[in-house]
Amino acid sequence: MKALRRLAVLTALLGGGLFLYARFWMGPGPEELERLRRDHAALRASVERQLRRAGGVADAPESTLLVGVPARVAERVGAEVVAGFLREVTLSLHDLKVRKEDEVRATLLGRRTLGRFSLALALAEVRARLRPGKPRLSFAGDLVRVALPVTIAEGSGRGRLRFQWDGRGMAGAVCGDLDTTLQVAGTVVPGTHTLEGAFRLSTEGSTIVARPEFGEVKVRVPIEPSRETWNAVEALVSQRSAVCRTALRAADLQEKLRSALGRGVVVTLPRNALAREMRLPAAIERPVDLPERSMHLDVRPSGLVVSPGRLWYGATVEVRKLTVDEEARGPSS
Amino acid sequence: MPNPALFGVAVGGLVFVSLGAAACPQGGPRARAEAIALRRQMDELRRLLAAAEKDDVLSSRHVAVGIRQELVRDLVQLTLPLEAAVAGQIAFRLETAEVAFQGGESRVTMRGRARRAATPEALADLTVMGGIHGVRMAGRGGYLSARVALDRIEVRGSGAEGARGELVERLVEQVGGTGLTSLAEQIPPLEIPVRFERTLSLDAGTVGPISIAPARLALRVEVAEVVALDGRLWVLLDVSAAPQKADAGGAR
C-alpha cells in the first residue's frame, strides 16, 4: 500500500517534471522546426509582396536612403501650405477704364431714336482680397500638375463716371445734350477662378526643387455700384423735366451703368503670380548637430521617380571612418 | 488489498509518462529559441499583413523614409569599438556589428570580448543581440535618430578553464537584464542623414497686381510607425503644416 502510494507520487512528480521540461526547455523536433521555417518564409514573402504593391516601392530608385511622398499627402500638405502662405493676398488695380457707347431707341410718340449716350468709367483704384481654395494635384513624369481655385473674396473700387448724352429729335429738343461727371464707388462681386499650371521637379543637391510653370491668366473682376452711386445717377435723371425724364428713363441709364460695371474689368495676372519656387522640406544630408566625429559621409542623389501615386527620391549614402591620412588632412564633407 | 483508485492513478501515470516521453519533441534549447523567434516574427508578420490590407502600412497617408540595413550597420560601426565596464569588474569591448531588417523585425548583432579585472587571462567571446528602437525626430535640426536596444547575450569563453567558467557565469549573471540596458545606453544615438524642415517661410512679394504678405508655417513631422522589411527600415511619418505668426523678415 505504502509502496503504491510512493509509486503514485513518484509518477505524478515525473509527469509534472516532464511537462515542465517540455514546456520550458525542450524545443521542437527537426520536422516541426522545418515546417515553422517554411511557414515563416511564405508569410514573409506574402507580406513583402503586399507592401511592395501597396507602397509602390517597386517604382522607387535603388538607393541607400529613400524618401517617398504619396500624392495624397502632397495634396493635403500642399493645401495646408497654400492656405497658410496665401492667407493675405491682395489684388491692386489702378487707372482702369471702361467705356460704353450706344444709341437709344424707344417708343415715344412712335418708335424712334432718342439719342446717343456714352459712359466713360475711370476707376482710380480697385483693391480686392484673394483667397485660395484647395489645390488638386496630379503627378506626371517630372511634373506636378496643379489646379488651384482662387476666389476674389471681397474688395472695393472708386473712380469717376462721365455720362454724355446727345439727344436726337424731340428728346434732344426737350433735354438738350448732357455732359456730367459723377464720383462713383462700388464693391467687388465675389467670384472663383481656377489657375492651372504645374511645378517641374528636379533634384538639386540634397533635396527636390519645384519650379512653377503657370501662364498668364485673364480674370474678370465685376463691380457692383454703391448705393450712393445709384442715388447720384437717379438724381441726375430726376432733376430733369418730365419729358426729359421719360427720355432718359427710356435710355435706362441705370441698367447701362450696371451692365458696364457688372461685366467688370479684365485683369491679366502675370506668369507665376501666385506660385513660387519651392524646395521639398525633406533633405538627405549630413547631420550637423553631431559632435565631432572622425567620419566620412558622402551623399549622392540617385534619382527622382514620379509615379501616379507617389514621388520617390533617394540618395546613395556612404558612411565610414576616416583613414589615418584623411584625419591628418582634416575631415571631409 | 491495494486501493483500486490509487492503483489506477499509478498505472495511468506510468502510461502517461511513457507516452509523453515517446512523444516528447527532440529539439534542444537552440531549437526552442529559434521556434520562439519564428513564432514571434510570424505574429508580427500577420499583424503587418492585416495592416497592409487596410492601407495602414506604407500607406498613402504617410511619408515613408526607407533606410538600407547596410547604412544602419555602418552607422552602428561608427560607434565601435565600444569599451564599457559592468559592475566595475567586467570590461567589455564591442568591435563589430551586423544589422538585418527582415520579416518585421530589426536585428542588431554586436560581437566582441569581455574580461574580468581579477582574471585578465580569461577572455569570453561575446555576442550581444537586440534591435533598433526609439526612432524619432531629434533636436531642433529635424534629423531622424534611432537607438540600439539590447535584449540577449551569448557568451563563449576562452582561456583558463576555472577562470573562464567563472567569467561566463559572472557575465550571464550581471549583464543580463539591466546590464544589457546599461550597455545599450552607452551606444550613442544613430543620426540618420535625413532632415525635415521645422519651419517654412515665405517672403513678402509683389508680382504685377498681386501682393503676398510674408508668412511662416510650422511643419509638424512625427514618427507614426516603424517597419523592418526586405532589408530596409521603413519609418512612416505623419506630416502636416500649420500657420505661425507672420514674420516680415522670414526668408527661404
Side-chain angles (χ1 to χ4, degrees):
Chain A
M1 188 58 189
K2 260 191 188 173
L4 201 57
R5 198 178 289 128
R6 274 195 219 114
L7 180 62
V9 168
L10 188 62
T11 305
L13 283 172
L14 270 175
L18 187 66
F19 172 78
L20 289 171
Y21 186 59
R23 175 73 176 82
F24 294 110
W25 190 255
M26 293 297 287
E31 280 180 17
E32 190 187 339
L33 192 59
E34 191 53 38
R35 182 186 60 76
L36 266 176
R37 288 174 185 148
R38 279 199 308 269
D39 290 348
H40 177 271
L43 190 53
R44 191 175 85 198
S46 177
V47 170
E48 286 171 359
R49 257 195 321 273
Q50 177 77 11
L51 288 182
R52 268 190 228 113
R53 220 175 15 238
V57 178
D59 300 329
E62 188 53 48
S63 309
T64 316
L65 261 180
L66 273 176
V67 178
V69 182
R72 189 172 150 185
V73 171
E75 231 177 37
R76 177 177 55 76
V77 177
E80 290 165 353
V81 169
V82 164
F85 275 171
L86 300 184
R87 278 182 305 161
E88 292 183 38
V89 181
T90 307
L91 176 67
S92 299
L93 305 168
H94 301 277
D95 299 327
L96 299 173
K97 291 183 171 44
V98 179
R99 190 173 183 87
K100 180 162 178 63
E101 294 177 352
D102 203 355
E103 275 191 352
V104 178
R105 289 178 63 80
T107 302
L108 183 66
L109 300 178
R111 185 132 183 104
R112 59 188 72 234
T113 298
L114 299 182
R116 187 173 183 80
F117 77 91
S118 156
L119 276 176
L121 180 65
L123 291 170
E125 183 182 58
V126 175
R127 287 174 67 85
R129 188 164 171 178
L130 302 185
R131 190 176 304 137
K134 186 176 172 184
R136 290 189 308 279
L137 306 183
S138 60
F139 290 167
D142 62 347
L143 277 181
V144 181
R145 298 197 187 281
V146 179
L148 175 66
V150 177
T151 298
I152 301 177
E154 58 191 15
S156 60
R158 58 178 178 80
R160 285 189 325 229
L161 173 69
R162 185 180 182 189
F163 174 68
Q164 291 173 296
W165 170 255
D166 178 14
R168 305 282 170 81
M170 185 187 297
V174 169
C175 286
D177 293 343
L178 291 176
D179 188 345
T180 187
T181 299
L182 304 171
Q183 297 295 320
V184 295
T187 53
V188 171
V189 177
T192 299
H193 308 270
T194 299
L195 304 186
E196 292 186 341
F199 284 91
R200 191 169 295 275
L201 304 177
S202 60
T203 53
E204 220 168 88
S206 61
T207 187
I208 303 296
V209 174
R211 290 196 170 84
E213 293 182 356
F214 287 75
E216 284 184 350
V217 177
K218 288 193 188 309
V219 170
R220 189 173 286 278
V221 182
I223 296 175
E224 171 66 30
S226 66
R227 164 84 27 218
E228 290 73 21
T229 299
W230 291 131
N231 291 343
V233 170
E234 180 59 31
L236 180 69
V237 172
S238 62
Q239 287 163 6
R240 304 293 162 192
S241 65
V243 175
C244 187
R245 283 201 303 272
T246 303
L248 289 177
R249 287 208 171 93
D252 204 357
L253 175 63
Q254 286 185 329
E255 184 49 38
K256 300 280 188 300
L257 177 62
R258 171 169 274 134
S259 172
L261 291 178
R263 274 201 304 276
V265 293
V266 177
V267 180
T268 300
L269 300 184
R271 284 166 45 82
N272 299 329
L274 289 178
R276 299 280 188 277
E277 180 178 298
M278 292 187 297
R279 292 180 175 273
L280 226 65
I284 299 176
E285 60 186 39
R286 178 194 177 118
V288 296
D289 291 343
L290 280 179
E292 277 302 309
R293 209 176 270 171
S294 301
M295 61 177 277
H296 166 83
L297 187 143
D298 182 34
V299 177
R300 278 170 280 131
S302 55
L304 167 68
V305 171
V306 182
S307 64
R310 199 181 281 256
L311 177 157
W312 289 103
Y313 70 98
T316 300
V317 180
E318 183 191 319
V319 175
R320 60 175 173 80
K321 289 195 173 178
L322 292 178
T323 62
V324 172
D325 285 344
E326 284 170 335
E327 268 193 87
R329 283 199 302 270
S332 63
S333 74
Chain B
M1 186 67 179
N3 185 323
L6 209 53
F7 183 74
V9 165
V11 168
L14 273 172
V15 169
F16 169 75
V17 168
S18 306
L19 286 174
C24 208
Q26 298 164 33
R30 280 187 187 274
R32 180 180 173 77
E34 185 181 346
I36 289 173
L38 285 171
R39 289 190 186 105
R40 185 180 62 235
Q41 289 177 18
M42 285 166 73
D43 285 343
E44 175 64 14
L45 286 169
R46 287 189 196 97
R47 185 192 74 80
L48 283 174
L49 196 59
E53 283 162 3
K54 291 188 292 184
D55 191 30
D56 274 349
V57 183
L58 280 182
S59 77
S60 56
R61 297 195 312 278
H62 298 123
V63 171
V65 177
I67 310 153
R68 291 284 316 169
Q69 60 198 15
E70 293 80 10
L71 175 58
V72 178
R73 176 204 62 203
D74 293 344
L75 290 172
V76 175
Q77 198 68 42
L78 283 180
T79 68
L80 303 177
L82 176 70
E83 296 186 347
V86 174
Q89 295 180 35
I90 299 182
F92 288 88
R93 182 181 167 87
L94 296 176
E95 292 173 339
T96 63
E98 291 162 19
V99 172
F101 299 139
Q102 292 292 348
E105 206 170 53
S106 68
R107 295 307 298 171
V108 175
T109 305
M110 303 173 82
R111 293 192 168 84
R113 307 196 106 178
R115 69 175 72 238
R116 196 160 74 96
T119 52
E121 71 281 3
L123 297 172
D125 290 329
L126 193 66
T127 301
V128 289
M129 287 159 280
I132 298 294
H133 293 266
V135 180
R136 63 188 189 95
M137 301 301 300
R140 290 184 300 166
Y143 289 92
L144 270 178
S145 80
R147 294 211 70 121
V148 174
L150 300 174
D151 55 27
R152 201 150 63 95
I153 183 170
E154 285 180 5
V155 181
R156 202 170 59 250
S158 61
E161 179 66 36
R164 178 202 72 180
E166 201 184 329
L167 175 61
V168 168
E169 282 174 23
R170 199 55 90 80
L171 273 176
V172 170
E173 178 186 316
Q174 292 190 347
V175 178
T178 55
L180 279 175
T181 304
S182 167
L183 184 59
E185 283 169 1
Q186 299 191 51
I187 303 170
L190 310 177
E191 301 276 348
I192 315 286
V194 176
R195 183 176 64 85
F196 287 84
E197 299 284 348
R198 293 304 181 89
T199 304
L200 305 178
S201 299
L202 181 72
D203 287 342
T206 298
V207 178
I210 303 286
S211 299
I212 301 176
R216 281 169 75 89
L217 300 180
L219 192 69
R220 186 183 68 86
V221 182
E222 288 181 2
V223 176
E225 174 90 64
V226 180
V227 178
L229 201 66
D230 208 11
R232 281 191 194 275
L233 190 71
W234 289 101
V235 181
L236 307 180
L237 304 168
D238 276 328
V239 179
S240 62
Q244 280 185 350
K245 272 190 177 179
D247 178 354
R252 169 118 178 98

